[in-house]
Amino acid sequence: MATAALRAAVAWSRRKSEPRAWREVARMTGVIMQAYPPGCGPSTPAELVALLRRPLGELLPGTRKASALDAVVLLDPEDALSDDAMEIVCDYTQALFDSEDPATAWLPRWAWQRAEQIEQELFQTLIQAGDAAVYTASRRFLIEHPAGDTRELAEARGRSGARQVARYIEIPPDRVFRFAPGADGQCWWSCPVCKWPMQVRGRRVECTYRPHTARFLVGDTGVGSLTAPSLVKVSATRLRLLESHPVVSAVCVDPAVWRFVVVPGVPELDLERLLHSHIPEVGVALYPIKDTFDLLVTAPDGRTWSVDVKDHADPQRVIDDPPSADHVVVPTYRKGQLHQLKRALSGKSVWTIRQFLNEVSDHVARGGSA
């Protein structure tokens, strides 16, 4: 149901440029109708679209357990896809059809593929090859370099020992700011947290993954200026101000790779970096057994912590697919999930990033004593 609603919302937001969008909305209306008893739920595409502007809890069947989906509104007042669609709903995507699905030819992959599918497509060859070092280098490269100049990306990849496992595409039109005529009069800005192109809506420039709280306004430019404008930060979060990048020769990973590999990878690399900088005595191995868990932390006395970092808006997603690691770590902005995760994941320790750093630091400071 969530996948069908998401796909309908994506199609509706693209109906002016994509003729197949109308058929997709009708198809998703049929999918949702099948989940309801006769006479219940939306019976026409127009009724479905109206519900997509309302909290999803009004569309989803009332017999299921409450979830983070309930308050999500998929279409904003401008009938554009909301940030919540990227943050929350695509966590629930699944295949809707056993046979060939015609809409997959034009719908974005994140609207119909699961995270596990994307990861398998990217890293299956590396996993089968058995080279853990290349796997780690390639995954790290995607997270650290989700966008940039084509030549600079190729040079950086060569230095890193990574393989090209993902296709890079041109900067999407909704991520481009046009300040002068011609290709040289276009620029883009990367999110200071995930480094992927931020969305441009008029003079608003924002990362579409809401927890990154990267929100800016385009500064004033002189009439006829040939210089890209600067940004003005409008969020309270401490973020560095960004310089613009020219669109010419710029590329980025597609939105599915960004959402399912880059976004969850950011806190994984953050934890690795903080461990190195705050507790240099410990050893930190990133993706030590490929996709088994995220980090293996080793203290000087031999004590180890296997760690999975989880960034989901709904903690039930973690509970339904328990991590293999003994320690589950969530970003600080997910600290409200700790109680539920601790209660449900018996036998595992659950921390925020800061709490886990303190745990390891205290162990090292005690000389390895219990």
Side-chain angles (χ1 to χ4, degrees):
M1 182 82 80
T3 303
L6 176 63
R7 287 175 56 153
V10 173
W12 186 255
S13 70
R14 300 184 175 198
R15 67 193 183 283
K16 295 179 180 178
S17 59
E18 176 52 68
R20 292 169 289 187
W22 297 91
R23 183 180 295 273
E24 178 66 7
V25 174
R27 293 172 75 232
M28 293 305 103
T29 303
V31 170
I32 290 173
M33 286 176 64
Q34 290 180 357
Y36 279 96
C40 300
S43 59
T44 67
E47 290 179 5
L48 174 58
V49 170
L51 284 169
L52 298 178
R53 303 186 185 109
R54 305 281 301 165
L56 264 178
E58 299 180 17
L59 174 64
L60 300 174
T63 56
R64 57 184 183 82
K65 292 191 294 185
S67 77
L69 288 174
D70 293 346
V72 172
V73 178
L74 289 177
L75 292 176
D76 67 16
E78 301 171 357
D79 270 356
L81 206 62
S82 70
D83 291 349
D84 281 344
M86 273 294 198
E87 182 193 353
I88 301 173
V89 184
C90 61
D91 262 352
Y92 294 81
T93 54
Q94 61 184 26
L96 294 180
F97 306 100
D98 294 331
S99 57
E100 184 177 349
D101 184 349
T104 58
W106 61 274
L107 277 176
R109 287 195 295 167
W110 58 265
W112 56 275
Q113 278 191 307
R114 294 183 62 84
E116 294 84 356
Q117 291 175 284
I118 301 299
E119 290 185 23
Q120 187 176 27
E121 289 176 6
L122 295 181
F123 302 115
Q124 185 174 29
T125 301
L126 297 181
I127 292 172
Q128 292 174 345
D131 193 328
V134 175
Y135 175 91
T136 298
S138 302
R139 192 171 191 121
R140 180 195 294 275
F141 185 86
L142 279 184
I143 299 166
E144 293 181 336
H145 301 86
D149 177 81
T150 302
R151 177 179 294 181
E152 292 174 0
L153 286 170
E155 292 174 351
R157 187 183 301 108
R159 293 192 299 268
S160 71
R163 293 184 187 172
Q164 183 165 354
V165 295
R167 182 174 67 93
Y168 284 71
I169 62 175
E170 293 182 354
I171 305 299
D174 67 331
R175 314 274 152 170
V176 173
F177 183 78
R178 295 163 179 79
F179 59 91
D184 292 334
Q186 302 178 25
C187 66
W188 63 280
W189 292 273
S190 59
C191 168
V193 179
C194 65
K195 302 179 184 177
W196 201 65
M198 292 190 289
Q199 187 175 61
V200 177
R201 292 186 182 179
R203 302 191 75 83
R204 288 185 298 155
V205 180
E206 301 176 346
C207 179
T208 40
Y209 191 67
R210 190 171 53 181
H212 291 170
T213 61
R215 296 190 295 274
F216 302 86
L217 287 176
V218 178
D220 293 333
T221 56
V223 177
S225 173
L226 298 180
T227 303
S230 58
L231 294 181
V232 178
K233 184 168 67 73
V234 295
S235 64
T237 308
R238 293 179 61 183
L239 295 171
R240 58 188 175 89
L241 291 175
L242 305 169
E243 294 183 357
S244 63
H245 307 284
V247 170
V248 177
S249 298
V251 290
C252 63
V253 296
D254 76 36
V257 176
W258 166 72
R259 179 59 185 85
F260 293 135
V261 177
V262 177
V263 166
V266 168
E268 295 165 2
L269 296 195
D270 280 348
L271 178 56
E272 180 202 35
R273 174 181 54 80
L274 290 168
L275 285 163
H276 279 310
S277 61
H278 287 70
I279 322 171
E281 303 94 326
V282 302
V284 184
L286 182 68
Y287 313 126
I289 316 176
K290 300 179 182 176
D291 60 346
T292 305
F293 51 84
D294 297 329
L295 298 103
L296 182 65
V297 183
T298 306
D301 68 335
R303 165 72 188 279
T304 61
W305 296 263
S306 59
V307 180
D308 261 316
V309 182
K310 295 297 181 184
D311 182 7
H312 290 275
D314 187 352
Q316 192 63 43
R317 307 303 295 171
V318 183
I319 296 167
D320 290 343
D321 185 16
S324 60
D326 294 327
H327 297 265
V328 179
V329 176
V330 300
T332 302
Y333 51 77
R334 304 292 189 200
K335 63 182 179 181
Q337 300 178 354
L338 288 179
H339 179 70
Q340 183 177 351
L341 290 174
K342 288 179 178 179
R343 186 175 67 248
L345 299 176
S346 59
K348 298 186 184 295
S349 299
V350 184
W351 321 82
T352 64
I353 286 180
R354 179 56 57 184
Q355 289 172 342
F356 182 75
L357 284 172
N358 291 340
E359 162 69 10
V360 177
S361 180
D362 289 346
H363 177 87
V364 172
R366 291 192 303 265
S369 60

